[in-house]
Amino acid sequence: MENNQEKKQTVLSLIQPTGTPTLGNYLGALKNWKNMSDGYDCFFGVADLHSITVRPNPADLRRRTTEMYALLLALGLDPHKNTVFVQSHVPAHAQLAWILDCYTQFGEASRMTQFKDKSEKHPDNVNVGLFAYPVLMASDILLYQTDFVPIGIDQKQHLEITRNIADRFNGLYGNTFKLPEPFIGKSGAKIMSLQEPTKKMSKSDTNPKAYISVLDDDNTIMKKIKSAVTDSEARVYRKDGKDGVNNLMGIYSCCTGKTDEEIEKEFDGKGYGDFKTAVGEAVCDELRPLREEYNRLISDKAYLTECMKEGAEKASYTAERTLRKAMKKVGFLQI
Ligand code: ATP
Ligand code: MG
């Protein structure tokens, strides 16, 4: 007999409340979240546990957690159909992370490039949490028996270590965790800094001209795109080494759906001025509806709290099933 009620595959992804998301977060991850939210059983969340590796001011962390949550709803995620939650509201994340810490080798965690990059950025605070970050991320993913994780390319290595940890645990104790696959969108996979286009755009960058925040107004967006670093050739086409132009072409393509060929044709014989105006306008059009919906939601704290509670309850239900299974396998006494 045909089964029309076939269970949907599971998608999970989290974002840290370390600042307002950038155009990079949006095109690399968040836009895919929205695209996947209908066809999959989705868990999306605010990774506040992860964000304390850089010791934010407590009041800032609280405010940013609420803001990031509102932004997820502003994307159009349905908090009743999808599960939209705050990581620290689901204790199973930290509990499984401890268990998996004991099944992760020091050597393999030391190879993570994000750990190396972030230790260099914050040499005065290279804490054990920063080192164990990928294990907490593995717990986030494995708790939900996740099939796909929509991420930017910078997180691919963390997905590989997640698979290795899960595989090792399954090998020792029998099938416990599903092995997840990364879902990396094509053109938005890595949006680069507007000021140093060989580095990825990051919301924690100290130079605000380097990134576009998804809440920047039209005027600010136009200014930032106009001052983006390019080159002296004044010709719009893709080529290795033309990092600034390649990046703007990628952004334009993500916002308009146009291919590289179409973009090259459109700006044939025109300079960077026309090109940047078009890119800026496309970005403004893409982000405007998100910003308007965010401004509406952020003033309704009661609604946000209600949704957070529902999200925490739904996420805990699934997460605890996996946690109990893992605890039993390891040999913790059940009472
Ligand atoms: P931080 O600098 O605090 O690490 P971040 O901008 O890297 O901030 P994260 O919260 O670490 O943001 O990542 C959220 C999601 O956005 C992840 O899936 C990540 O892969 C994706 N992402 C981050 N930066 C980019 C980028 N420049 N281009 C495409 N995707 C990105
Ligand atoms: Mg990051």
Side-chain angles (χ1 to χ4, degrees):
M1 204 178 74
E2 204 181 310
N3 182 4
N4 289 326
Q5 295 285 301
E6 213 171 284
K7 196 181 169 304
K8 283 182 181 172
Q9 289 181 299
T10 301
V11 163
L12 171 133
S13 204
L14 307 184
I15 183 162
Q16 301 189 70
T18 40
T20 310
T22 66
L23 184 66
N25 302 130
Y26 176 73
L27 297 176
L30 299 175
K31 200 175 172 184
N32 289 327
W33 295 15
K34 170 63 186 146
N35 290 339
M36 297 175 101
S37 64
D38 270 336
Y40 296 87
D41 188 13
C42 292
F43 294 86
F44 294 125
V46 181
D48 56 346
L49 295 178
H50 283 281
S51 72
I52 65 168
T53 55
V54 293
R55 201 177 302 160
N57 166 304
D60 283 349
L61 177 57
R62 275 190 289 274
R63 178 177 49 79
R64 284 184 178 154
T65 301
T66 307
E67 288 172 356
M68 187 62 86
Y69 192 89
L71 216 131
L72 299 189
L73 298 192
L75 282 172
L77 302 177
D78 180 342
H80 306 304
K81 225 172 60 196
N82 305 138
T83 300
V84 188
F85 68 104
V86 175
Q87 190 187 24
S88 68
H89 295 167
V90 184
H93 288 253
Q95 291 172 286
L96 183 64
W98 169 251
I99 297 178
L100 297 184
D101 275 336
C102 302
Y103 294 83
T104 305
Q105 295 305 303
F106 189 86
E108 66 183 334
S110 309
R111 284 194 290 274
M112 297 295 111
T113 53
Q114 178 178 290
F115 173 67
K116 293 182 203 161
D117 291 349
K118 294 216 165 174
S119 318
E120 271 168 35
K121 259 198 202 166
H122 307 273
D124 51 332
N125 185 18
V126 183
N127 58 72
V128 176
L130 191 64
F131 185 70
Y133 183 109
V135 188
L136 179 58
M137 179 162 161
S139 308
D140 302 336
I141 297 167
L142 299 175
L143 278 173
Y144 300 90
Q145 306 293 346
T146 303
D147 293 283
F148 299 108
V149 188
I151 42 170
I153 215 151
D154 65 300
Q155 292 297 323
K156 198 163 171 252
Q157 199 184 27
H158 287 165
L159 213 89
E160 276 156 19
I161 198 174
T162 298
R163 289 173 59 94
N164 292 341
I165 296 168
D167 197 40
R168 183 172 307 136
F169 194 98
N170 289 348
L172 287 166
Y173 299 110
N175 210 8
T176 312
F177 302 118
K178 182 172 269 174
L179 296 199
E181 302 280 347
F183 178 89
I184 298 176
K186 259 183 278 155
S187 35
K190 197 164 187 182
I191 303 297
M192 309 310 277
S193 155
L194 298 178
Q195 292 301 317
E196 288 172 87
T198 50
K199 282 185 14 196
K200 93 168 181 74
M201 185 181 282
S202 269
K203 60 176 135 61
S204 56
D205 201 310
T206 46
N207 178 5
K209 283 172 99 178
Y211 58 84
I212 289 173
S213 142
V214 297
L215 300 178
D216 280 344
D217 59 32
D218 288 0
N219 217 337
T220 310
I221 294 174
M222 290 308 285
K223 270 197 208 141
K224 286 183 179 177
I225 296 276
K226 293 238 159 122
S227 65
V229 169
T230 45
D231 51 60
S232 54
E233 201 182 9
R235 251 189 72 206
V236 178
Y237 69 106
R238 192 178 280 279
K239 190 178 131 196
D240 277 355
K242 277 177 80 79
D243 302 305
V245 170
N246 293 347
N247 190 36
L248 292 178
M249 284 179 72
I251 292 172
Y252 191 57
S253 162
C254 281
C255 295
T256 59
K258 290 178 185 168
T259 62
D260 280 352
E261 265 170 35
E262 287 167 338
I263 299 171
E264 285 169 15
K265 217 162 165 199
E266 184 176 348
F267 297 100
D268 189 23
K270 296 185 182 159
Y272 290 157
D274 288 340
F275 176 51
K276 284 179 165 177
T277 304
V279 177
E281 281 169 0
V283 172
C284 290
D285 290 345
E286 178 80 28
L287 296 181
R288 199 174 301 116
L290 180 68
R291 189 171 67 232
E292 287 172 1
E293 183 60 4
Y294 170 85
N295 287 334
R296 196 182 67 76
L297 282 161
I298 195 65
S299 57
D300 194 350
K301 297 285 183 323
Y303 175 69
L304 294 174
T305 306
E306 201 183 294
C307 293
M308 281 182 193
K309 283 188 180 160
E310 182 182 332
E313 215 169 281
K314 286 195 290 184
S316 295
Y317 178 80
T318 306
E320 291 209 355
R321 277 175 46 177
T322 304
L323 175 67
R324 277 200 298 273
K325 200 162 141 189
M327 288 178 77
K328 200 169 158 192
K329 296 220 173 177
V330 169
F332 290 131
L333 184 64
Q334 314 273 299
I335 46 168

